[in-house]
Amino acid sequence: MKNITSEQLRNLYIEFFKSKGHKQIQSASVIPENDPTVLFTTAGMHPLVPYLLGEKHPQGRRLTDFQKCIRTGDIDEVGDSSHCTFFEMLGNWSLGDYFKQQMIPWSYEFLTSEQYLGIDKNKIAVTVFAGDETAPTDEESAKLWENCGINKDDIYFLPKKHNWWGPAGTTGPCGPDTEMFIKVKEKCSKDCSPACDCGAFLEIWNDVFMAYNKLSDGTYAELQQKNVDTGMGLERTLCVLNGKKSVFDTDLFVDALKKLEELTGKKYEKNAKITKAFRVILDHIRTSVFMIGDEKGIVPSNVDQGYILRRILRRAIRYARQVELKEDGLLEIARVFVNKYKNIYPELETNKNKIENEIVKEYQKFTRTLEAGLKEFEKTIKKLNSDTIDGVTAFHLFDTFGFPLEITKELARENNLKVDEEGYKKAFDEHQKKSRAGSEQKFACGLADNQEATTHLHTATHLLHAALKKVISNNICQKGSNITAERLRFDFNLERPCTKEELEKVENLVNDIINQNIPVVMKEMTMEQAKKQGFVGLFTNKYGEIVKTYSIGDFSKEICGGPHANSTGELGQFKIVKEQSCSAGIRRIKAILII
């Protein structure tokens, strides 16, 4: 096998298939086009589904490319030697042109020819579909491999779980496949095969023979146009060809890894904890760079692709703290990846400022809640008398400290603990019921009714109040409000007009808190307790001795009668529409929520 760089491997693959009459096409976005069944492009074939189903491609019937892909289903595995959330897939397609008889010999040629990868045929094992009620045993593929020169003992028949590909969503083109493996060590037993988890075999390539279309009722229909779809993972293939222990030792990561060692003063292989932290940071920052820098652009949020990006970035931030890598350090790692890939994916260079800005914003948001949550977690596990964090405690970490359940679970695993997820869900449901019950009560605090829209605008008023204090002056106090289902009106003390820049900062800060989807937590306590804990309130003489307090993380703490939204993520986009004088020393803001 040859020592080879990522650039050389891309070029060899593309040039090989060009020599076989293929046209190179460009990588599509990591966000699928008009496909609601999946969040990301998960394989090279994904952007080509219409053409695999019969639509004519403008470049013809033989295509090849390298495609940006994202898979996050096994995000918890990142940190081992091979899992990546972002990866590149080298691929070629026949859209109703050639089939098994051409593809398998070409695969053998590319793998074994000295002009290309130069792998010893005795190092190669292959698998083919064993057959079931959907399709027959793929004897044809097995015979083609044997005719090429693969030893019969190195050809394995495996069931659909291992040798059937697709569809990318719930419906679509699919079919039996043949997979190619490198034998990296001795088999663990006589029954060992590429399906075994012992590590004797490492997959390098996959040829899918799309002969079927899976329908919405779960049945399979034969395709009129039979296709070939192949996929060779760039990272894993580089690892195998260069004899590396992990994908993080390849040239794709080596510059960023060196920068990480330089910034932290720590060695990658010092111990298992540092190694895992480095790998998570490298993988997740690279993935974030490609998500944010994509031509369709993703930003952190609480829904869909934005939620996955937020989860990935926050996981990277937590591991960065473990190795004492600060905000600027994460930016430097991101810059290394932009520089590494900018000639191949120029959109990263175009969007580099956006990439850096979004990483900084998410870092700052998350670190505000992370420190308090980590301290509380440490207190929690010291008090445990079992191996399980109960659901109520896990929910407390979430509703009081904004600690996502995923991070609580991950921290628990690191401490050989479990989390009662069912108990967490029950506590969460009970919280929502209490919040809904509170929403049924009318109150006199500028809120005219308890329609959902009005309730949301009232919650937004709390955020506006807190944001004005943070942006302009902590001396700002609410002087009155009037809220309808269409808009909020908020009066506050200020001797001058707000500047345009101040209003933009206030608006952005409110939307940041909305995007964090922070729970709105209600607790009853005495007025004295509320004041001691820093809760503020207008018309406090009207509430009585026991008051309701509403906290939104550590951002807003107010005494109020309700009702409120369950969490800030329900509110939509906050927009200031007008700022004006109300009376001497009093300003008025009118704002709306865009759902």
Side-chain angles (χ1 to χ4, degrees):
M1 291 187 284
K2 298 179 178 179
N3 286 329
I4 193 170
T5 67
S6 56
E7 184 176 2
Q8 289 170 332
L9 180 54
R10 288 190 200 94
N11 290 340
L12 277 175
Y13 192 93
I14 297 300
E15 291 307 314
F16 176 81
F17 282 100
K18 279 184 176 180
S19 76
K20 306 299 184 186
H22 293 64
K23 297 284 188 180
Q24 183 181 0
I25 57 175
Q26 295 303 306
S27 173
S29 167
V30 297
I31 302 176
E33 192 77 37
N34 301 318
D35 186 351
T37 63
V38 289
L39 291 176
F40 296 104
T41 299
T42 58
M45 59 80 68
H46 205 155
L48 292 169
V49 168
Y51 309 104
L52 295 166
L53 289 172
E55 189 176 324
K56 301 300 180 187
H57 195 284
Q59 295 295 315
R61 299 168 70 188
R62 296 186 179 190
L63 308 172
T64 186
D65 75 349
F66 42 88
Q67 170 65 47
K68 301 179 290 184
C69 300
I70 291 175
R71 294 181 191 170
T72 58
D74 51 5
I75 187 173
D76 292 333
E77 301 299 319
V78 174
D80 66 8
S81 63
S82 62
H83 280 86
C84 296
T85 50
F86 169 85
F87 59 96
E88 293 174 89
M89 189 64 78
L90 305 168
N92 62 281
W93 292 270
S94 163
L95 305 177
D97 189 351
Y98 57 84
F99 208 52
K100 299 177 185 178
Q101 297 83 357
Q102 290 84 14
M103 189 61 234
I104 287 176
W106 286 346
S107 297
Y108 180 83
E109 180 184 355
F110 185 72
L111 290 172
T112 61
S113 169
E114 285 300 323
Q115 186 180 349
Y116 296 103
L117 300 191
I119 301 171
D120 181 352
K121 69 174 186 178
N122 295 310
K123 291 278 189 182
I124 298 172
V126 300
T127 61
V128 296
F129 181 52
D132 63 8
E133 69 282 357
T134 303
T137 302
D138 195 357
E139 296 283 1
E140 182 183 9
S141 290
K143 193 64 180 174
L144 285 166
W145 280 117
E146 194 176 346
N147 290 343
C148 285
I150 298 296
N151 297 320
K152 195 169 184 177
D153 289 344
D154 289 325
I155 301 171
Y156 298 83
F157 290 85
L158 296 178
K160 180 175 282 186
K161 176 182 177 182
H162 300 284
N163 277 83
W164 185 276
W165 208 99
T170 54
T171 61
C174 55
D177 68 1
T178 181
E179 299 181 5
M180 290 142 270
F181 296 79
I182 302 299
K183 295 186 281 185
V184 293
K185 65 179 185 180
E186 292 296 319
K187 297 199 299 184
C188 64
S189 69
K190 66 175 183 177
D191 296 323
C192 183
S193 78
C196 182
D197 293 329
C198 73
F201 301 88
L202 190 62
E203 183 183 353
I204 195 171
W205 204 358
N206 182 359
D207 294 347
V208 179
F209 302 118
M210 291 186 174
Y212 302 92
N213 185 27
K214 187 179 180 183
L215 306 177
S216 57
D217 62 2
T219 60
Y220 294 83
E222 279 204 42
L223 287 170
Q224 286 188 331
Q225 173 186 295
K226 290 182 170 55
N227 311 294
V228 173
D229 157 37
T230 83
M232 174 179 280
L234 181 74
E235 287 80 359
R236 187 172 290 186
T237 303
L238 273 178
C239 184
V240 172
L241 292 176
N242 291 290
K244 301 295 185 182
K245 291 187 291 185
S246 86
V247 295
F248 299 98
D249 298 318
T250 66
D251 73 276
L252 294 170
F253 290 98
V254 69
D255 291 341
L257 180 55
K258 287 177 181 176
K259 177 60 70 173
L260 197 47
E261 288 186 325
E262 174 191 320
L263 291 168
T264 62
K266 294 176 172 58
K267 290 297 181 183
Y268 168 59
E269 294 186 329
K270 181 180 179 181
N271 59 52
K273 186 175 181 180
I274 291 177
T275 299
K276 179 177 180 179
F278 273 31
R279 288 174 176 176
V280 171
I281 294 165
L282 293 171
D283 172 81
H284 287 7
I285 294 300
R286 185 176 73 145
T287 301
S288 299
V289 163
F290 274 93
M291 283 186 177
I292 301 167
D294 189 76
E295 52 265 37
K296 292 187 178 179
I298 304 168
V299 295
S301 72
N302 289 309
V303 294
D304 299 333
Q305 292 95 345
Y307 171 75
I308 301 299
L309 172 57
R310 170 160 283 162
R311 184 182 173 194
I312 283 172
L313 262 178
R314 291 188 170 192
R315 193 166 186 254
I317 292 164
R318 191 175 78 76
Y319 278 94
R321 290 170 63 87
Q322 283 188 9
V323 294
E324 301 177 272
L325 180 70
K326 300 192 182 300
E327 175 187 310
D328 289 347
L330 285 179
L331 288 183
E332 289 205 45
I333 300 302
R335 289 172 191 141
V336 172
F337 284 123
V338 169
N339 191 58
K340 176 69 179 176
Y341 286 96
K342 66 183 180 183
N343 294 330
I344 306 156
Y345 302 107
E347 65 270 19
L348 300 184
E349 176 72 13
T350 302
N351 295 316
K352 65 180 180 180
N353 289 336
K354 180 184 176 185
I355 291 168
E356 292 183 16
N357 290 338
E358 292 300 332
I359 290 174
V360 167
K361 286 197 307 190
E362 195 62 23
Y363 187 97
Q364 292 173 347
K365 286 177 190 174
F366 189 43
T367 49
R368 284 197 291 266
T369 60
L370 187 59
E371 287 187 20
L374 287 170
K375 288 177 183 176
E376 185 67 15
F377 181 85
E378 291 298 325
K379 290 179 186 176
T380 296
I381 62 175
K382 285 177 182 177
K383 297 175 186 175
L384 280 182
N385 52 15
S386 72
D387 66 347
T388 302
I389 298 172
D390 65 87
V392 172
T393 299
F395 181 69
H396 172 69
L397 286 166
F398 172 64
D399 77 358
T400 306
F401 298 95
F403 228 50
L405 178 62
E406 291 93 347
I407 287 185
T408 300
K409 287 164 58 181
E410 193 163 327
L411 287 168
R413 279 196 299 272
E414 290 175 6
N415 288 274
N416 297 315
L417 299 170
K418 296 178 287 189
V419 177
D420 177 11
E421 293 185 56
E422 286 302 314
Y424 173 88
K425 290 174 185 175
K426 184 178 178 182
F428 188 88
D429 289 342
E430 287 176 359
H431 164 73
Q432 289 186 313
K433 287 176 185 176
K434 286 179 182 177
S435 297
R436 283 192 289 269
S439 296
E440 296 170 2
Q441 301 176 21
K442 301 270 187 174
F443 69 102
C445 188
L447 189 60
D449 61 52
N450 65 346
Q451 297 178 57
E452 184 180 74
T454 319
T455 299
H456 289 171
L457 280 160
H458 178 73
T459 308
T461 304
H462 285 239
L463 298 180
L464 172 60
H465 189 185
L468 287 166
K469 283 178 170 289
K470 294 179 190 304
V471 171
I472 298 176
S473 169
N474 194 49
N475 294 323
I476 282 178
C477 295
Q478 179 179 342
K479 295 299 182 181
S481 68
N482 180 270
I483 301 167
T484 70
E486 288 75 37
R487 58 98 181 110
L488 69 83
R489 194 180 75 197
F490 183 80
D491 299 339
F492 59 99
N493 60 306
L494 189 65
E495 296 292 337
R496 59 170 178 81
C498 297
T499 67
K500 180 181 177 182
E501 291 74 19
E502 286 171 338
L503 292 175
E504 286 178 352
K505 286 181 180 178
V506 167
E507 189 173 282
N508 289 337
L509 185 52
V510 171
N511 281 315
D512 281 347
I513 299 301
I514 289 172
N515 289 336
Q516 289 183 51
N517 196 23
I518 300 172
V520 180
V521 179
M522 188 279 289
K523 289 183 180 178
E524 291 186 347
M525 61 185 72
T526 66
M527 177 67 72
E528 184 178 351
Q529 288 172 324
K531 288 180 178 178
K532 282 183 178 178
Q533 292 183 31
F535 286 88
V536 299
L538 185 64
F539 315 128
T540 54
N541 60 314
K542 294 188 177 183
Y543 291 122
E545 181 57 26
I546 301 298
V547 296
K548 284 186 176 180
T549 64
Y550 287 86
S551 58
I552 303 172
D554 58 2
F555 185 77
S556 169
K557 300 174 76 173
E558 290 201 24
I559 300 166
C560 197
H564 298 73
N566 294 321
S567 65
T568 61
E570 299 174 6
L571 303 187
Q573 183 184 358
F574 177 79
K575 178 70 177 174
I576 295 173
V577 294
K578 195 171 186 179
E579 189 271 347
Q580 65 190 90
S581 173
C582 177
S583 60
I586 304 295
R587 306 297 298 178
R588 173 171 290 170
I589 283 178
K590 292 181 180 178
I592 60 174
L593 290 172
I594 303 168
I595 305 300

